[in-house]
Structures are given as C-alpha cells and as structure tokens.
Amino acid sequence: MTGLFSYPKRKLRKLISQGEYEQAIEFGNELEAKTPKDPDLLFIMGSMFYILNDEKKTLHYIDRVLEINPYDVESLSLKLRVHQFLKEDDIVIDCCRKILQVAPDNFEVRDLISELESNS
C-alpha cells in the first residue's frame, strides 16, 4: 500500500535530480495541497530550496517538518546548515543540542557545538 503513496515523491525526487526545478516546484505544490502534513514531502521540498539557495523557503519547509517531529535529525541538520550560513550561532547551537539528544555519537555536531560555544 505504501508503494501507491511513494510514487509521487519518487517523481518529485527525479525532477529535482534532473534539475527540473520549475516543474518540481509546481508538482511539489500540487502534492503539498493534497498532503500538507507529509513530513517526507516537506523535507524534499525544503531540500530542493536548499539546493536553490533559497534560505527562507528552505526554513519554511524544514520548520514544518520539525513541528511534526522536533527531533528529526536530517531536518535539524539542514536547519543547522542554513542558520550556520546566516551566521545565526544561537540557533545553530540549539539545533546541535537537539541532534545530540537523539544521536549523541554524532561527532561532527559535537565538534561544531564545542567550537561555537568556545567562541561565545
């Protein structure tokens, strides 16, 4: 049964991987209208806008995923990267802490938070 629902997301991923961003945005918006609380779809859309260097839309989608699952490590990692780019260290540190609650062995995040806290 899940195969029926995963096909549209596969099509969306394929459009993105082929660089067909305009079509992907249009198709993603159609899917979002049907399933506005699908965290996988929201993450895919956020990731696409990350690729397109649109920080505002990336955060719009990733924050919606995190409303559904506040400790989604992939979403927290993407949010961390955007806020790191925006030089918003307090938010980066918050994301690091949440990631470490779920994945305490994430040494990359552990090193980043240590570096940021020592610079504060």
Side-chain angles (χ1 to χ4, degrees):
M1 183 132 176
T2 54
L4 295 174
F5 296 105
S6 65
Y7 172 72
K9 289 184 260 187
R10 271 190 294 201
K11 179 180 176 182
L12 179 59
R13 283 189 191 101
K14 185 176 181 182
L15 287 170
I16 294 168
S17 70
Q18 293 174 338
E20 300 290 339
Y21 300 116
E22 195 171 309
Q23 284 181 286
I25 291 168
E26 188 176 308
F27 185 63
N29 288 336
E30 290 173 19
L31 294 177
E32 184 183 356
K34 295 175 187 171
T35 56
K37 294 191 184 245
D38 180 339
D40 294 331
L41 173 62
L42 297 173
F43 182 81
I44 294 166
M45 293 294 287
S47 298
M48 175 179 56
F49 285 110
Y50 181 78
I51 292 167
L52 295 172
N53 296 315
D54 188 331
E55 296 87 12
K56 186 176 179 180
K57 285 189 179 177
T58 300
L59 291 173
H60 166 76
Y61 283 101
I62 295 306
D63 286 339
R64 288 176 58 201
V65 173
L66 293 170
E67 285 174 15
I68 297 165
N69 182 1
Y71 292 93
D72 181 290
V73 173
E74 288 181 326
S75 296
L76 285 167
S77 297
L78 189 53
K79 180 178 173 93
L80 179 155
R81 286 188 213 110
V82 172
H83 286 291
Q84 194 174 22
F85 173 77
L86 297 172
K87 300 191 184 323
E88 298 172 338
D89 290 349
D90 290 344
I91 299 172
V92 173
I93 290 170
D94 183 54
C95 290
C96 288
R97 287 184 179 141
K98 286 182 179 177
I99 291 170
L100 290 173
Q101 286 179 358
V102 179
D105 59 342
N106 189 322
F107 295 108
E108 184 179 331
V109 170
R110 191 175 296 281
D111 291 345
L112 177 60
I113 195 171
S114 295
E115 177 185 324
L116 290 172
E117 288 178 334
S118 70
N119 291 338
S120 302

